[in-house]
Every structure is written in structure tokens, then in C-alpha cells.
Amino acid sequence: MNIRDEMQKLGPLASTGVALADYSEAIAGGGKFQLSGNRWVMRPDNFVTLEPHWKRTTNVAISLRGNPAEFAAMPELPISAGMAGYTECKVESPTQLAAAAFYIRHAHEIYGRGRGRSPKGQKVIET
């Protein structure tokens, strides 16, 4: 099984789940998702994990490298603190895809700055 096969189990959220996986791999420079427990972890650079849920609820739990203060929270997709040094959110609707991609892109940038980075908040400038 691969991540796309598992995302297909999400019913109406399947195409959103596949888009999240495709986008993450596209920016990862050759990285691929590998199953670790119930989560699909981006390897070799662990900047994002995706965990599809379809049995009791339908969503994709996302874990992102970086603390919540390093992200500009989008109102359509709330974020919260996860494991030490990580931020979490849950995609429950296709309308949250753009916000999730925004977070994933920033998590990749945070990963690239390394552990010794000075945590900077992200700013969204509206025009």
C-alpha cells in the first residue's frame, strides 16, 4: 500500500488527501512518504506527516515542523501545538486545501533553516 491508496479511502475527501500528498512530495526534492505506525512520514526530510482517518470520522491529520508561533494561522484551518517542535491541524473539507498547502510549504522552509534557527513568525500581507 502507498499513501495514495490510503487517501482513496477518504471518500469525498480523497482528492484533497491525494493533493496534499502530491504537493508535499513535489516540494520535498525527491522525498517520499513512508508509513510509520498510522502516519505517513515524509522521508528523508521529516517536515510533514499525514494521517488519514476514515473509519469513525473523515479527515487528514497533519503534523508540521515548527511551533505554532512560527505560522500565520489561517482562519479556515486552525492550528495547535503538537509534539515538541511541531504544529498540528486537521483537514476536514476540500475548502481547507489551500491553507494546508500554505502550512506545508512553510514547514518545509522551517525544516530547511534547521534546529538552530531563530523562530520567526510568519506574516501574511493582504493586498
Side-chain angles (χ1 to χ4, degrees):
M1 178 183 328
N2 64 44
I3 191 168
R4 285 156 193 80
D5 294 337
E6 193 160 357
M7 292 297 187
Q8 291 302 322
K9 298 175 183 178
L10 290 169
L13 202 56
S15 59
T16 303
V18 170
L20 291 169
D22 287 347
Y23 179 70
S24 299
E25 288 182 350
I27 66 171
K32 297 288 181 194
F33 281 103
Q34 294 178 357
L35 187 60
S36 178
N38 293 329
R39 294 177 181 230
W40 290 91
V41 181
M42 179 59 66
R43 297 285 186 215
D45 302 338
N46 180 8
F47 67 91
V48 63
T49 67
L50 303 178
E51 185 176 352
H53 300 132
W54 68 88
K55 293 179 182 172
R56 289 182 290 246
T57 186
T58 304
N59 66 52
V60 179
I62 303 174
S63 181
L64 305 151
R65 176 65 64 98
N67 296 304
E70 294 180 83
F71 291 86
M74 307 295 285
E76 61 271 24
L77 186 57
I79 57 175
S80 61
M83 299 184 301
Y86 284 82
T87 296
E88 296 181 344
C89 62
K90 285 190 180 178
V91 173
E92 299 172 322
S93 165
T95 62
Q96 296 171 310
L97 178 60
F102 180 72
Y103 293 153
I104 291 168
R105 176 56 146 205
H106 192 58
H108 184 256
E109 293 167 358
I110 290 170
Y111 180 86
R113 291 199 310 256
R115 290 179 186 235
R117 69 187 181 275
S118 66
K120 298 178 187 173
Q122 184 181 27
K123 295 179 183 172
V124 177
I125 300 171
E126 296 182 29
T127 58

